[in-house]
């Protein structure tokens, strides 16, 4: 369930300035989300776990191991390691 924008007037003001562009994200609307929602699920508890990360756009295939405690920025995708696997080559 999305947050109530009325509870966050400063965020609402910012998002409303960009409403037309945000509403243009048809995949968000088609998925049943509100125009201001993030389209990718986020699990903050997973952010600092070891993970494989890869850039959103790249001319070549590439990925890198992100060790525990690091957060990946917004222009990359990432997947966490399988439960019980460590970032020490045993993956």
């Amino acid at each position: 369930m999305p947050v109530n924008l009325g509870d966050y007037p400063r965020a609402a003001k910012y998002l409303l300035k960009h409403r037309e562009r945000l509403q243009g994200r048809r995949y968000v609307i088609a998925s049943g989300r509100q125009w201001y929602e993030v389209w990718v699920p986020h699990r903050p508890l997973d952010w600092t776990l070891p993970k494989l990360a890869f850039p959103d756009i790249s001319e070549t295939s590439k990925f890198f191991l992100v060790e525990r405690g690091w957060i990946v920025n917004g222009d990359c995708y990432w997947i966490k390691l399988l439960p019980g696997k460590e970032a020490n080559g045993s993956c």
Side-chain angles (χ1 to χ4, degrees), residues 2-91:
V3 298
N4 178 354
L5 283 182
D7 293 341
Y8 304 93
R10 290 174 33 192
K13 181 179 177 182
Y14 173 80
L15 291 169
L16 286 166
K17 286 195 303 188
H18 302 283
R19 184 175 185 151
E20 183 178 340
R21 182 175 183 191
L22 292 169
Q23 282 182 311
R25 302 175 304 156
R26 295 183 187 157
Y27 53 89
V28 172
I29 306 305
S31 72
R33 300 187 197 291
Q34 296 295 317
W35 60 269
Y36 56 86
E37 286 187 77
V38 175
W39 74 280
V40 223
H42 292 281
R43 293 186 179 104
L45 294 176
D46 291 346
W47 287 352
T48 60
L49 296 177
K51 62 189 101 359
L52 290 176
F54 46 98
D56 180 17
I57 299 171
S58 177
E59 292 183 4
T60 60
S61 297
K62 60 178 108 174
F63 65 93
F64 50 98
L65 179 65
V66 180
E67 296 180 9
R68 182 175 298 279
W70 290 84
I71 297 174
V72 176
N73 67 11
D75 62 353
C76 292
Y77 292 101
W78 57 271
I79 54 175
K80 64 183 182 177
L81 301 180
L82 292 173
K85 299 295 181 179
E86 293 297 323
N88 62 8
S90 65
C91 299

